[in-house]
């Protein structure tokens, strides 16, 4: 089913753009809708393929210039394999999942055309790509995606290129452990029955910021949050290692081991001592 009829009324086409036919698998999900709206707004023709539309897969996929896979992590590999058999070698295939090694390899294995892994480092609640980062993992025939990358940049987005392996290594710490930290703190505060509104009245800016981040986390789909933590064995193991660190430091607190805590502080502060500008990629 095309999204064009409903979106054309909201976003007029821009004549100077070469209109491409794009199918977003999962295009009725929140992230799929975001990309659809932005692409339609500059003149592209976008269709959505959902669970109920696979009878129309030949029509929706075989003539597409670009197919974007935007489905939950647990379904991504199966959807890529199912999708590939309908694609022309001239169709570019990418995914926007938050893990990259396995999906990129699956696309390279099952599709002979252009392949690229993308990871938007933002959620579907943003109103524009301006100031937002998108990680780019080249796969095959990267030039076929140049128009898409140019589109993201002209919308104000920032592209960061890396291998799928580096992406997944970084996301263990950027996403998985951070989700666990905030999920854990949210559960703790809820079970402690803290009056959040009262606490915010007397809080520091950093506490208010942290509570707002936790609130945004709990407004997400539970499945999305959990899947980000459970996506790979490495993520699960690293979260377990983090929990061990919490336990070790908490033991020092219970023991009132002031010197031990100071020693932990001194031994580990060096990584945080450099100005942020010096570690920009």
């Amino acid at each position: 089913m095309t999204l064009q009829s409903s979106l054309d009324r909201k976003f007029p086409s821009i004549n100077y753009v070469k209109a491409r036919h794009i199918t977003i698998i999962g295009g009725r999900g929140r992230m799929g809708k975001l990309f659809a709206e932005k692409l339609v707004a500059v003149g592209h023709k976008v269709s959505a393929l959902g669970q109920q539309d696979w009878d129309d897969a030949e029509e929706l996929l075989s003539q597409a210039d670009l197919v974007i896979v935007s489905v939950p992590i647990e379904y991504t590999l199966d959807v890529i394999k199912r999708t590939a058999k309908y694609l022309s070698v001239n169709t570019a295939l990418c995914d926007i999942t938050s893990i990259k090694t396995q999906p990129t390899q699956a696309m390279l294995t099952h599709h002979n055309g252009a392949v690229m892994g993308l990871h938007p480092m933002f959620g579907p609640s943003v109103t524009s790509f301006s100031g937002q980062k998108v990680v780019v993992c080249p796969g095959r025939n990267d030039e076929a995606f140049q128009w898409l990358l140019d589109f993201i940049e002209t919308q104000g987005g920032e592209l960061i290129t890396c291998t799928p392996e580096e992406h997944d290594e970084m996301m263990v710490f950027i996403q998985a452990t951070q989700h666990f930290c905030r999920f854990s703190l949210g559960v703790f505060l809820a079970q402690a029955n803290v009056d959040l509104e009262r606490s915010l009245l007397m809080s520091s800016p950093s506490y208010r910021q942290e509570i707002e981040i936790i609130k945004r986390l709990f407004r997400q789909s539970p499945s999305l949050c959990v899947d980000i933590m459970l996506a790979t064995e490495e993520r699960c193991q690293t979260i377990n290692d983090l929990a061990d660190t919490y336990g070790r430091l908490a033991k020092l607190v219970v023991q009132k081991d002031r010197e031990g805590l100071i020693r932990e502080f001194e031994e580990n502060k060096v990584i945080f001592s450099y100005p942020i500008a010096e570690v920009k990629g």
Side-chain angles (χ1 to χ4, degrees), residues 132-167:
Q132 305 295 338
K133 297 178 186 290
V134 178
V135 179
V136 178
C137 297
R140 181 193 298 127
N141 299 346
D142 301 336
E143 65 278 2
F145 297 93
Q146 193 57 54
W147 68 268
L148 178 62
L149 303 181
D150 290 344
F151 158 74
I152 293 171
E153 288 192 313
T154 59
Q155 296 285 307
E158 179 185 352
L159 304 177
I160 300 94
T161 302
C162 68
T163 65
E165 292 77 14
E166 182 187 12
H167 168 276

Side-chain angles (χ1 to χ4, degrees), residues 41-261:
V42 296
H44 299 296
K45 299 185 182 301
V46 181
S47 299
L49 192 160
Q51 289 181 338
Q52 68 272 39
D53 301 313
W54 282 98
D55 288 344
D56 301 318
E58 178 74 31
E59 176 187 353
L60 293 171
L61 297 173
S62 63
Q63 300 301 314
D65 297 303
L66 171 68
V67 171
I68 300 174
V69 177
S70 176
V71 298
I73 294 170
E74 62 181 309
Y75 304 119
T76 298
L77 299 183
D78 287 340
V79 167
I80 288 170
K81 184 176 181 179
R82 187 177 186 182
T83 298
K85 61 185 177 183
Y86 295 102
L87 301 182
S88 160
V89 71
N90 297 316
T91 300
L93 175 64
C94 72
D95 81 301
I96 54 174
T97 316
S98 62
I99 59 173
K100 291 274 73 79
T101 303
Q102 291 178 318
T104 303
Q105 186 56 56
M107 290 188 290
L108 289 169
T109 298
H110 297 291
H111 180 47
N112 292 324
V115 164
M116 180 171 282
L118 300 176
H119 182 192
M121 298 303 299
F122 51 87
S125 60
V126 304
T127 57
S128 78
F129 293 159
S130 181
Q132 305 295 338
K133 297 178 186 290
V134 178
V135 179
V136 178
C137 297
R140 181 193 298 127
N141 299 346
D142 301 336
E143 65 278 2
F145 297 93
Q146 193 57 54
W147 68 268
L148 178 62
L149 303 181
D150 290 344
F151 158 74
I152 293 171
E153 288 192 313
T154 59
Q155 296 285 307
E158 179 185 352
L159 304 177
I160 300 94
T161 302
C162 68
T163 65
E165 292 77 14
E166 182 187 12
H167 168 276
D168 287 356
E169 180 181 351
M170 288 294 184
M171 288 306 126
V172 170
F173 302 99
I174 294 170
Q175 274 198 322
T177 58
Q178 292 305 297
H179 270 61
F180 178 75
C181 289
R182 286 156 180 160
F183 173 64
S184 300
L185 182 55
V187 170
F188 173 77
L189 292 173
Q191 293 182 351
N193 201 28
V194 174
D195 184 339
L196 288 181
E197 294 305 315
R198 182 65 176 168
S199 74
L200 290 170
L201 290 176
M202 57 185 78
S203 66
S204 64
S206 60
Y207 176 84
R208 289 194 296 273
Q209 182 181 45
E210 187 65 26
I211 292 299
E212 184 55 39
I213 293 172
I214 293 171
K215 288 170 68 176
R216 288 204 301 269
L217 177 72
F218 278 89
R219 286 197 294 265
Q220 293 180 9
S221 158
S223 295
L224 175 62
C225 175
V226 171
D227 286 349
I228 285 173
M229 292 188 288
L230 302 183
T232 66
E233 185 61 36
E234 183 182 9
R235 292 187 182 198
C236 296
Q237 184 56 54
T238 302
I239 288 172
N240 188 63
D241 293 342
L242 174 62
D244 287 345
T245 301
Y246 280 152
R248 176 169 56 81
L249 296 177
K251 185 175 181 180
L252 294 178
V253 171
V254 170
Q255 294 172 343
K256 295 184 173 55
D257 187 348
R258 185 173 183 275
E259 292 304 315
L261 290 165

